[in-house]
């Protein structure tokens, strides 16, 4: 076969291949599985986060879910969102014994954190009350001092 014939055949193949195909080539799409994004905590820069990370995180976990059967969750918690005086007392005096929260029984000891300053307790409780699905107001150092002085 001559070069002239080969070129003619290749051109014919190209022309025939393009006839009747007015569609644009489709782009291949790679579908990525949806990954769960971590919630962005608007309180992440709050000074109470530093206290939480150093004092509370080991038991209540990074996301506030606690440890099943041992350390209760503080997510959307009645304890956290409820009576501030009671919450401050829990931090100052600790807590022990069986308790049922959201249908699960917990039995461990939360040690007293009275070594923390009024400011640190106010900061960490304000952080917790604004994180982990909780949406409650701040606690002031004056509130902590009042409860501490009453004990």
């Amino acid at each position: 076969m001559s070069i002239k014939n080969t070129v003619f055949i290749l051109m014919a193949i190209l022309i025939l291949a393009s006839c009747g195909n007015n569609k644009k080539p489709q782009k291949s799409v790679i579908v990525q599985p949806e990954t769960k994004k971590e919630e962005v905590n608007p309180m992440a820069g709050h000074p109470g986060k530093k206290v939480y990370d150093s004092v509370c995180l080991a038991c209540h976990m990074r996301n506030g879910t606690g440890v099943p059967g041992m350390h209760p969750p503080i997510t959307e918690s009645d304890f956290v969102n409820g009576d501030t005086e009671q919450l401050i007392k829990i931090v100052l005096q600790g807590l022990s014994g069986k308790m049922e929260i959201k249908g699960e029984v917990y039995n461990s000891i939360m040690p007293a954190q009275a070594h923390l300053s009024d400011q640190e307790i106010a900061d960490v409780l304000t952080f917790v009350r604004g994180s982990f699905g909780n949406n409650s107001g701040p606690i002031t150092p004056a509130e902590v001092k009042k409860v501490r002085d009453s004990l």
Side-chain angles (χ1 to χ4, degrees):
M1 189 182 291
S2 71
I3 294 179
K4 194 176 189 182
N5 286 341
T6 304
V7 170
F8 176 77
I9 291 172
L10 288 174
M11 289 193 62
I13 291 171
L14 288 172
I15 290 171
L16 288 173
S18 64
C19 287
N21 187 7
N22 293 330
K23 295 180 183 178
K24 292 182 182 177
Q26 293 183 353
K27 295 179 183 177
S28 61
V29 177
I30 298 172
V31 178
Q32 295 288 334
E34 190 173 318
T35 57
K36 186 177 178 181
K37 296 179 183 176
E38 276 194 41
E39 284 185 34
V40 176
N41 185 349
M43 300 286 286
H46 191 277
K49 182 178 185 320
K50 183 177 179 180
V51 180
Y52 182 86
D53 288 350
S54 65
V55 178
C56 313
L57 183 135
C59 296
H60 293 291
M61 302 288 111
R62 182 166 309 286
N63 59 2
T65 58
V67 177
M70 290 180 63
H71 308 293
I74 54 174
T75 55
E76 300 173 0
S77 167
D78 292 337
F79 279 103
V80 172
N81 294 303
D83 180 22
T84 58
E85 185 176 327
Q86 182 62 32
L87 183 60
I88 295 166
K89 282 181 182 177
I90 290 171
V91 173
L92 288 170
Q93 297 179 315
L95 194 61
S96 64
K98 286 185 180 182
M99 59 180 359
E100 185 175 329
I101 298 176
K102 298 179 183 178
E104 186 161 350
V105 176
Y106 296 88
N107 190 13
S108 190
I109 296 171
M110 177 177 159
Q113 303 297 325
H115 65 280
L116 296 173
S117 70
D118 293 346
Q119 183 67 57
E120 289 172 318
I121 292 172
D123 286 346
V124 74
L125 292 180
T126 296
F127 171 74
V128 169
R129 286 168 55 87
S131 303
F132 314 120
N134 299 309
N135 192 20
S136 295
I139 292 180
T140 66
E143 290 175 280
V144 176
K145 180 176 177 14
K146 181 180 174 186
V147 174
R148 188 188 300 264
D149 291 346
S150 73
L151 298 176

